[in-house]
Amino acid sequence: MTSHDFLTMDDFDPAGKTVLVRVDINAAIENGRIQDSERLEAHGRTIAELSEKGAKVVILAHQGRAGDKDFTRLEQHAALLSKHVGKKVKYVPDLSGKTTLAAIRKMSGGKVFLLENVRMYAEENLDGKKTPFEKALYVQELSSVCDVFVNDAFSAAHRAQTSLMGFTHTLPSYAGRVMQHEYHAVQKATSHAQKPVVQLLGGGKPDEPLGLMAYALEHDQADMILTSGVLGELCLMAKGKKLGRKEQWLKDQGYLAYMPKVQELVKKFEDKIDVPGDFAYADEHGIRVEVKLEELPDLQQNVFDIGTNTAHAYARHIKAAKTVYLKGPLGAYEQKAFERGTRLVLQAMMDTKAFTLLGGGHTITALQKFDFAFKKFGHVSLAGGALLDMLQGKKLPAIEALKESARKIGYARKAGNGSSGHDPSAAPTPSGQA
């Protein structure tokens, strides 16, 4: 797969080249141990491809933030990456400097190094204006021993930080496989989507799904919004429905502050916003009980899932769509009594012929709980903030940097011999680099 927006790993031959790869393997830590993740596995495939093609692979990554409990070195990450790459990933406890640069120069084809956590260095947080990212010492030093930069960190692409932005000014720059596939999947669900487009928006908080709903409706990127969770409940209230005890809960959580925007959207796009018609609560024995919307005002329990009828109605919308996006679970799926809505909707997304995009950490956890294979869906995103920003039409700094690099390389090709293959020498070189 290639892109008209930026260059990818299909656009250069990595054999014999020293390839600097930025990944996002930021992971959860439990009892002092880094936890394996889908991101580690996905980036492992990118690294393995480059290594197998004869590249000398040098990896940049981060873990946590300074002052946080999960801020740590990357030694354990190297061990986990080794499993996914299929060969030893050597941990280098530094980011640049004479010893590290000398070790990189001596690398042979196929070898893989993981350098130290970039967030342990103050230069990672340059503002890019007072001091341009490419002026960072570690960018200059690593650029002097590397031939190519590959950015594979889509999930960090919404951040303008040195390791994501600086090398696009000093080295020929390309998107890695994770970056490439994530970017194209979001395009396929938004600007390049086949209609009708259905979005299922839920979760326990209203801010993110409300922002997505507003953008999709106001920019004609969705033909139908299927709501659940807090967003669904706010939409019901905006339609004048009574929710009983749940109204007080929403007020206590401060969520009624979102009502003006919800009411505005419901009034303007009422025919494009669907809401639950039934719900589920758990009785004193933890058994699921379903009630109709009309019964909520007299109900003494709080509801935590959509009902079966609503799930089937949403499934029919999914079946009629050509593009479907899901953000967040449809209920408190972690509990047996409240898993049905999420499970039925995910099953419908597996069965449809439409292109399906799923995003969010809770969505991935739900897929794992129900043992639903990722390959059964069009694309399961491993990103959070970057995905949300792109879905709302925001430009992602790291992707814009790749686009600019592609334009520079394109100009150099046009001015050169017109070859379709890439010549790294045609790209800008950093200070002190021949």
Side-chain angles (χ1 to χ4, degrees):
M1 183 189 299
T2 58
S3 171
H4 296 297
D5 297 322
F6 48 64
L7 299 172
T8 74
M9 285 166 49
D10 296 316
D11 293 304
F12 77 99
D13 180 4
K17 293 185 174 65
T18 304
V19 181
L20 187 64
V21 186
R22 176 60 158 98
V23 299
D24 182 1
I25 51 175
N26 192 53
I29 300 179
E30 294 182 12
N31 299 319
R33 302 299 301 174
I34 298 295
Q35 300 300 297
D36 206 351
S37 69
E38 290 76 17
R39 281 187 191 170
L40 279 154
E41 181 180 357
H43 288 303
R45 289 192 290 269
T46 298
I47 296 161
E49 179 182 344
L50 290 167
S51 175
E52 289 165 5
K53 290 180 177 179
K56 294 167 275 189
V57 185
V58 180
I59 307 167
L60 295 175
H62 72 274
Q63 173 64 46
R65 292 184 177 86
D68 290 351
K69 291 182 179 179
D70 63 347
F71 186 58
T72 186
R73 296 183 177 277
L74 300 184
E75 188 170 9
Q76 292 184 50
H77 298 72
L80 288 171
L81 271 178
S82 297
K83 178 181 73 172
H84 296 302
V85 175
K87 63 170 58 178
K88 181 177 176 59
V89 174
K90 181 180 178 181
Y91 165 66
V92 179
D94 197 3
L95 189 57
S96 59
K98 289 183 179 180
T99 303
T100 297
L101 298 178
I104 293 172
R105 288 190 184 98
K106 293 178 181 177
M107 291 177 77
S108 56
K111 295 293 184 182
V112 185
F113 286 179
L114 172 61
L115 305 186
E116 189 55 275
N117 184 348
V118 294
R119 290 187 177 170
M120 290 188 169
Y121 300 81
E123 286 185 317
E124 178 65 1
N125 295 314
L126 294 178
D127 65 7
K129 295 178 181 178
K130 283 185 179 180
T131 305
F133 298 114
E134 64 270 23
K135 297 297 183 181
L137 179 60
Y138 82 75
V139 172
Q140 294 287 307
E141 291 187 336
L142 288 174
S143 295
S144 73
V145 294
C146 295
D147 302 305
V148 170
F149 175 62
V150 170
N151 192 342
D152 206 33
F154 176 79
S155 52
H158 58 311
R159 304 190 185 283
Q161 295 178 330
T162 302
S163 63
L164 296 158
M165 307 288 290
F167 296 100
T168 60
H169 295 276
T170 62
L171 293 172
S173 299
Y174 305 85
R177 296 307 185 199
V178 174
M179 177 74 80
Q180 174 186 354
H181 295 149
E182 290 268 20
Y183 179 80
H184 281 280
V186 181
Q187 281 195 320
K188 197 170 180 180
T190 53
S191 57
H192 298 171
Q194 286 190 310
K195 288 181 172 286
V197 178
V198 169
Q199 292 192 3
L200 294 97
L201 304 178
K205 296 181 179 180
D207 50 345
E208 290 179 355
L210 178 56
L212 291 167
M213 181 170 78
Y215 184 84
L217 293 173
E218 291 166 354
H219 292 81
D220 193 29
Q221 289 200 347
D223 300 286
M224 180 61 67
I225 303 288
L226 309 178
T227 64
S228 63
V230 172
L231 178 62
E233 291 159 356
L234 292 176
C235 287
L236 282 165
M237 290 182 66
K239 289 174 176 279
K241 304 299 182 181
K242 301 297 183 182
L243 306 185
R245 285 191 62 181
K246 205 60 185 278
E247 291 185 23
Q248 185 61 47
W249 182 86
L250 292 167
K251 181 179 180 180
D252 292 342
Q253 298 298 313
Y255 294 152
L256 296 187
Y258 295 92
M259 280 301 294
K261 184 61 177 178
V262 175
Q263 289 169 331
E264 174 192 333
L265 292 171
V266 167
K267 182 178 180 180
K268 188 175 181 180
F269 301 103
E270 185 170 10
D271 60 335
K272 290 188 173 184
I273 300 173
D274 204 355
V275 291
D278 61 342
F279 300 86
Y281 69 91
D283 66 14
E284 64 272 19
H285 304 293
I287 303 299
R288 180 185 179 95
V289 180
E290 298 199 354
V291 293
K292 295 179 180 179
L293 172 62
E294 294 76 15
E295 299 176 70
L296 289 188
D298 299 321
L299 191 65
Q300 298 305 307
Q301 296 86 356
N302 268 331
V303 293
F304 291 101
D305 192 18
I306 60 171
T308 303
N309 289 338
T310 297
H312 287 320
Y314 284 6
R316 288 192 289 273
H317 281 296
I318 292 168
K319 184 177 181 179
K322 290 188 177 180
T323 305
V324 183
Y325 165 64
L326 170 70
K327 191 257 187 290
L330 287 87
Y333 70 95
E334 304 92 339
Q335 301 178 48
K336 181 72 175 176
F338 305 126
E339 67 176 30
R340 184 180 300 173
T342 300
R343 179 169 50 79
L344 289 175
V345 166
L346 287 173
Q347 183 68 55
M349 292 185 72
M350 283 198 297
D351 295 340
T352 184
K353 294 180 179 179
F355 173 72
T356 54
L357 172 65
L358 294 77
H362 288 293
T363 304
I364 290 175
T365 304
L367 292 176
Q368 293 168 333
K369 176 181 180 179
F370 302 134
D371 199 24
F372 289 165
F374 285 20
K375 65 182 180 181
K376 297 289 187 179
F377 303 89
H379 184 76
V380 178
S381 177
L382 303 178
L387 174 65
L388 294 173
D389 280 2
M390 191 172 170
L391 284 167
Q392 294 177 77
K394 298 177 183 178
K395 292 184 177 181
L396 307 189
I399 288 178
E400 294 305 304
L402 284 175
K403 291 179 182 179
E404 179 61 27
S405 177
R407 286 191 286 269
K408 289 177 181 177
I409 293 173
Y411 297 150
R413 285 179 180 168
K414 188 175 181 180
N417 61 16
S419 169
S420 60
H422 170 61
D423 175 8
S425 65
T429 55
S431 302
Q433 183 180 350

